[in-house]
Amino acid sequence: MGRAVRGIIFRVVTALTLPLLAPVLTPVMVFTVAFGLMPALTVPAHAQETDTIQAIAIEGAARIEAETIRSYLLVREGDGFDPVRIDRSLKSLFSTGLFADVSFRREANTLVVIVQENPVINRIAFEGNKRIKDEELMTEISLKPRVIYTRSKVQNDVNRLQTLYQKSGRFAVSVEPKLIQLPQNRVDLVFEVDEGALTEVQNIRFVGNKVFDDSDLQEIVRTRETRWYRFLSSDDTYDPDRITFDRELLRRYYLKNGYADFKVLSAVAELTSDRNQFFITFTIEEGQRYKFGDVNIKANLRDLNADDVADRLKFEKGEWYDATAVDDTVEALTEAAGNLGYAFVDVRPNVDRNAETGDINIAFEIKEGPRVFVEHINVTGNVRTLDEVVRREFKVVEGDAFNASKLRQSLTRVEDLNFFEKVNMTQEPGSAPDKVNVNVEVQEKSTGSLSIGAGYSTSSGALAEFGVRERNLLGKGQDLSLNVRVSERQSQVNVSFTEPHFMNRDVSAGIDLFNTQTDNQTASSYDTKTTGAGLRFGYPVSSHLDQGWHYTLKQSDITGVPSTASIYVKQQEGEKILSELGHSLMYDRRNSKVNPTEGYYAVMTNDLAGLGGDTNYLRNEVRGAFYYKFADGWVSTTRAGAGVIMGIGQDVGLLDRFFVGGDNLRGFSNGGVGPRDTVTADSLGGEFMYTGGAELSVPLGLPQELGISGKVFTDLGSLMTVNPGGANISDDGSLRSSVGVGVTWVSPVGPISLDFAQAIMKQGYDETELMRVNFGTKF
């Protein structure tokens, strides 16, 4: 049979069998059969040497250069028609993301590459989004205008947008990308968003808890069940990150109460079929409860005796185990060793748990830690706030010895700035084994405020207030405020500016301008007008001791004195100029300046008037308070204060005296205690006073987020001595006291405080009041 006949037979057989075998053959095998075997059988043996790629032609390219396309190919002119390399070239072109379609065709000895380019995005738009602005959505996606469109990137961006909405509690969200074709292979990309309803947490359940009820544990976790009064909170919407945080809150709570074996076995969130509600179940294992057993301190540092730091222990043997107390002890021991000059200290609590006796024995080992230095302090997340505003709050600088205690103090100082929603501090290895980098990640919050207020207080009556304040002016940490307040009995305008780090030093400086008009007719038959300015400076003496200085120059005018007023008030009528230099010392060991629950503080102030003006006196005051937390929501506050003012070459004026009653002695009205004209019942103030009291905050069993708490209190104090005296002045200096109860509500529209007090020790000429209310609304 001739070669030509065999070729014809092979073509016929191939044409009949290749379609039948195609489903089970790979593309490479098909390519091999179609492009390889056939030429091999149809071309004479001497012609097989010319079965090479003589040319590569590119079709369909518009924006992309042909040479660029050739660079992605794995075959070149002169190579053979290798189906494997051609297939890999096809995949290489697809992997660039530049093409929507790619195909190869052979024409004689020319390999033709046909491409269809992906379009270029002309514009990106969002439709249907109401809760999240376009700017925030744009920052979340990877595609941008003038970028090549690819389906994979679009799908990734759809997933990103859905995740963003899910983090805000909208799990029913859907995002549909739409393309609008434009000339020149361009497209507009539109993301159509259906935000859906908020996916709320309908129920939170706990499995395995025996000691604490579900209601107790629901107060511990941050996630809340949906309720009508949580309309201003997002805690009742599902957030997987918050659930992770809830697991940690549960762990801390049980470890604080002695359950050292506690575990969270699982936290499962079940979504209803309509995707509008979640049911969350925490499965826990409480374990047994432990007490503190033997506690030892092993000091392996020269010149450090364990007995010298034994008073730093935050717990005693026999108390229920508290992991927080152990951490506090580690910090206290580290600080104590640091105060003795040890920069590198490692304090480790070695725990020996005895399940049979229910005791945990702890041995604190104090030894010299590795000599590690701070290489870099990196601040991220601050957009408005300058780096130096954060860095200057650090107790360590780059190059200092690494000190965990000082870093914790630095973290607290940064948080106390109140410029940031969140502050996270982490450490990572530096460029050498003895170096570490400290990373501070912050999330800024609004520091400017515009407030318009209305309310009522017993002291001032009905009031209206307007205020503008920026606590982080130009991102430099400066504080500028304007406040205007108008009430039935007082009107005031205050302008204040504070530079917290004057001349780049740890010194705060500020200036105040003020104008005040007060109606004192109810208490003492006169009105006052005061205009003035003040300068102030403050700086830390030590980590807990601050010193301050201030100078005040003001003009005061007593007006509106009726003919029926006390003769001692009439004598004070007219203008006076005060030039006063003041000094203060404050020792503060509170755990929070805003809402303290533990610790104490003490303040001493001294004011000297007479450096100019026509008023001369020396005034001294001391006051302080002690806070103690018995349990969650149970905080006792004990306070005391005293003051004395002495005229220098003249009697003390009416406006410069002390007044007791009202906020500093509840149960008595403003100026209701102390020297009084028995004929006119005008309060005259006094030159020596003391006040004190004790208060216990009491939980009322309401959800914590409502911000409602109760209190019981007792106040005491007295006011005495007025010069010149007179026969018709009552001034016995006897002790006054009162008892009462109250309710405080930190409401969404402002703080509300309501106190009911009964004076139990008083004089017949004192002015008392049963109820005191302070209410303010800002919107």
Side-chain angles (χ1 to χ4, degrees):
M1 186 180 293
R3 182 181 301 164
V5 174
R6 290 198 303 269
I8 293 172
I9 295 173
F10 180 81
R11 290 189 183 94
V12 173
V13 173
T14 302
L16 293 174
T17 59
L18 187 59
L20 299 175
L21 296 176
V24 298
L25 294 177
T26 66
V28 174
M29 296 172 63
V30 174
F31 191 95
T32 301
V33 173
F35 288 84
L37 296 179
M38 186 185 300
L41 294 175
T42 60
V43 179
H46 63 83
Q48 293 183 17
E49 297 178 356
T50 63
D51 192 21
T52 58
I53 300 174
Q54 300 296 326
I56 298 177
I58 308 297
E59 294 182 1
R63 298 187 315 273
I64 304 172
E65 297 290 339
E67 288 303 320
T68 302
I69 297 176
R70 288 190 178 96
S71 67
Y72 290 110
L73 299 177
L74 301 181
V75 292
R76 297 289 183 269
E77 294 174 352
D79 294 343
F81 283 90
D82 186 347
V84 175
R85 296 177 66 186
I86 292 176
D87 181 64
R88 291 173 59 189
S89 298
L90 180 73
K91 295 178 180 177
S92 175
L93 287 175
F94 266 119
S95 65
T96 64
L98 300 174
F99 309 104
D101 191 18
V102 179
S103 62
F104 289 162
R105 183 177 73 249
R106 178 178 179 178
E107 294 181 357
N109 287 334
T110 299
L111 179 64
V112 181
V113 181
I114 306 98
V115 298
Q116 180 182 345
E117 295 178 345
N118 273 323
V120 174
I121 298 175
N122 176 64
R123 184 175 66 94
I124 298 178
F126 301 92
E127 294 182 357
N129 54 308
K130 299 178 181 178
R131 303 293 177 180
I132 302 180
K133 296 181 180 179
D134 288 4
E135 294 78 8
E136 187 175 352
L137 295 177
M138 187 65 74
T139 59
E140 191 68 22
I141 62 177
S142 61
L143 289 172
K144 305 294 178 187
R146 297 183 296 278
V147 172
I148 295 176
Y149 167 89
T150 64
R151 293 180 180 178
S152 60
K153 289 184 178 180
V154 170
Q155 188 57 48
N156 289 336
D157 286 345
V158 168
N159 294 336
R160 287 170 178 263
L161 295 175
Q162 290 177 336
T163 301
L164 181 64
Y165 270 98
Q166 289 171 359
K167 286 184 177 180
S168 65
R170 296 182 180 273
F171 278 77
V173 64
S174 65
V175 180
E176 185 72 22
K178 298 293 181 65
L179 290 180
I180 301 175
Q181 298 292 337
L182 299 175
Q184 300 178 349
N185 200 22
R186 295 177 300 125
V187 294
D188 284 344
L189 176 60
V190 180
F191 290 98
E192 294 184 355
V193 181
D194 182 3
E195 295 180 325
L198 278 172
T199 309
E200 299 174 333
V201 177
Q202 181 65 28
N203 183 260
I204 301 176
R205 294 171 291 184
F206 297 88
V207 177
N209 54 312
K210 300 177 181 179
V211 179
F212 299 104
D213 296 334
D214 282 12
S215 58
D216 296 329
L217 298 181
Q218 286 172 1
E219 291 294 332
I220 301 303
V221 297
R222 178 74 178 273
T223 305
R224 295 285 187 260
E225 295 180 348
T226 181
R227 295 290 185 271
W228 66 268
Y229 51 79
R230 296 193 174 111
F231 61 94
L232 292 177
S233 172
S234 62
D235 289 344
D236 59 348
T237 58
Y238 175 73
D239 184 347
D241 293 335
R242 192 187 299 126
I243 296 297
T244 302
F245 181 56
D246 289 339
R247 295 171 65 112
E248 177 63 16
L249 291 177
L250 288 170
R251 189 187 71 85
R252 293 179 187 177
Y253 180 71
Y254 270 92
L255 290 179
K256 182 178 177 62
N257 286 277
Y259 295 89
D261 297 331
F262 173 79
K263 296 178 182 178
V264 178
L265 301 179
S266 66
V268 179
E270 300 175 85
L271 182 62
T272 57
S273 57
D274 58 6
R275 303 182 67 86
N276 288 330
Q277 293 180 335
F278 270 99
F279 290 81
I280 299 175
T281 304
F282 292 93
T283 303
I284 64 177
E285 183 180 306
E286 293 179 328
Q288 74 176 89
R289 194 177 190 187
Y290 291 86
K291 290 185 177 181
F292 283 113
D294 295 329
V295 182
N296 298 312
I297 299 177
K298 299 178 181 179
N300 297 324
L301 296 176
R302 187 177 58 185
D303 300 330
L304 179 62
N305 193 327
D307 295 335
D308 296 336
V309 294
D311 59 339
R312 298 300 184 103
L313 293 175
K314 302 299 182 181
F315 56 88
E316 296 180 358
K317 181 178 180 179
E319 295 180 350
W320 289 113
Y321 175 77
D322 184 352
T324 304
V326 176
D327 294 338
D328 292 342
T329 300
V330 170
E331 183 175 351
L333 293 175
T334 303
E335 181 180 1
N339 294 337
L340 295 175
Y342 292 95
F344 305 97
V345 178
D346 183 19
V347 179
R348 294 190 178 184
N350 298 316
V351 177
D352 181 16
R353 188 181 310 172
N354 191 327
E356 295 181 359
T357 62
D359 293 333
I360 294 182
N361 303 320
I362 301 180
F364 291 95
E365 184 178 3
I366 307 176
K367 60 182 180 180
E368 188 171 3
R371 302 181 67 84
V372 180
F373 298 88
V374 177
E375 182 176 18
H376 296 295
I377 298 177
N378 304 312
V379 182
T380 59
N382 53 316
V383 179
R384 291 183 59 248
T385 308
L386 302 180
D387 275 12
E388 64 180 79
V389 174
V390 179
R391 291 177 179 273
R392 67 195 183 192
E393 299 300 328
F394 271 70
K395 305 289 286 184
V396 296
V397 298
E398 294 172 343
D400 282 356
F402 181 84
N403 188 305
S405 177
K406 288 186 177 181
L407 284 175
R408 282 191 291 267
Q409 295 177 31
S410 302
L411 177 62
T412 302
R413 285 165 60 95
V414 174
E415 291 174 336
D416 286 344
L417 289 174
N418 201 23
F419 296 162
F420 309 109
E421 193 74 34
K422 295 180 181 178
V423 181
N424 294 321
M425 183 183 296
T426 58
Q427 297 101 38
E428 64 180 11
S431 60
D434 63 342
K435 295 181 180 179
V436 65
N437 294 325
V438 178
N439 300 319
V440 183
E441 183 180 0
V442 300
Q443 180 181 335
E444 292 182 323
K445 66 179 180 181
S446 175
T447 55
S449 61
L450 171 65
S451 61
I452 302 174
Y456 176 85
S457 75
T458 306
S459 301
S460 303
L463 60 89
E465 184 176 6
F466 171 80
V468 179
R469 184 182 182 187
E470 174 54 61
R471 295 182 292 104
N472 189 13
L473 185 66
L474 301 177
K476 298 180 179 180
Q478 299 168 336
D479 192 334
L480 177 64
S481 65
L482 166 66
N483 188 270
V484 179
R485 184 172 184 174
V486 180
S487 65
E488 291 183 66
R489 290 187 285 277
Q490 188 181 69
S491 300
Q492 62 183 18
V493 179
N494 293 318
V495 179
S496 177
F497 175 78
T498 302
E499 168 56 66
H501 283 260
F502 184 62
M503 298 182 66
N504 293 323
R505 297 180 179 273
D506 199 5
V507 176
S508 65
I511 182 172
D512 302 293
L513 305 174
F514 54 88
N515 178 273
T516 305
Q517 300 183 29
T518 306
D519 178 357
N520 291 304
Q521 296 292 337
T522 302
S524 199
S525 300
Y526 67 90
D527 300 327
T528 61
K529 296 180 181 179
T530 303
T531 302
L535 297 173
R536 45 191 162 78
F537 297 88
Y539 49 86
V541 178
S542 65
S543 58
H544 300 290
L545 181 64
D546 294 323
Q547 187 171 29
W549 299 86
H550 72 267
Y551 173 76
T552 304
L553 178 64
K554 65 181 180 181
Q555 175 182 297
S556 300
D557 188 9
I558 295 180
T559 61
V561 180
S563 58
T564 56
S566 168
I567 186 175
Y568 305 104
V569 174
K570 292 179 180 180
Q571 291 173 353
Q572 302 289 323
E573 191 171 12
E575 294 183 357
K576 287 189 177 182
I577 296 177
L578 171 70
S579 175
E580 179 187 81
L581 178 65
H583 164 265
S584 66
L585 276 174
M586 181 172 186
Y587 188 74
D588 193 349
R589 296 301 300 264
R590 292 174 295 179
N591 62 343
S592 171
K593 295 181 180 180
V594 180
N595 186 27
T597 58
E598 294 179 346
Y600 60 92
Y601 77 91
V603 181
M604 179 186 70
T605 61
N606 314 103
D607 301 315
L608 175 64
L611 305 176
D614 49 24
T615 302
N616 305 295
Y617 62 75
L618 175 63
R619 178 171 54 211
N620 302 292
E621 286 187 72
V622 293
R623 67 180 184 277
F626 177 79
Y627 303 87
Y628 184 79
K629 183 178 180 180
F630 294 97
D632 290 339
W634 296 80
V635 179
S636 68
T637 304
T638 306
R639 60 178 178 83
V644 60
I645 183 170
M646 300 170 289
I648 301 177
Q650 61 181 229
D651 294 327
V652 178
L654 178 63
L655 298 182
D656 304 318
R657 298 171 187 158
F658 299 109
F659 287 85
V660 173
D663 291 332
N664 59 2
L665 185 55
R666 288 164 290 190
F668 296 85
S669 59
N670 295 323
V673 171
R676 185 179 301 275
D677 189 325
T678 57
V679 177
T680 63
D682 287 333
S683 177
L684 303 177
E687 299 174 16
F688 176 75
M689 70 89 178
Y690 63 89
T691 59
E695 181 174 300
L696 178 64
S697 297
V698 180
L700 299 178
L702 300 173
Q704 292 182 358
E705 67 266 27
L706 288 181
I708 300 178
S709 61
K711 55 185 173 182
V712 294
F713 60 85
T714 177
D715 290 348
L716 57 86
S718 187
L719 177 68
M720 65 199 75
T721 309
V722 61
N723 289 300
N728 57 339
I729 295 179
S730 297
D731 178 16
D732 56 15
S734 61
L735 175 67
R736 276 80 159 182
S737 65
S738 63
V739 295
V741 296
V743 176
T744 300
W745 180 26
V746 183
S747 72
V749 294
I752 298 176
S753 178
L754 180 63
D755 294 329
F756 295 91
Q758 176 67 50
I760 56 176
M761 296 180 66
K762 61 180 181 178
Q763 296 299 320
Y765 56 86
D766 291 338
E767 297 289 338
T768 62
E769 65 182 18
L770 179 63
M771 181 180 70
R772 189 165 192 83
V773 58
N774 286 285
F775 167 69
T777 303
K778 293 190 176 182
F779 43 88

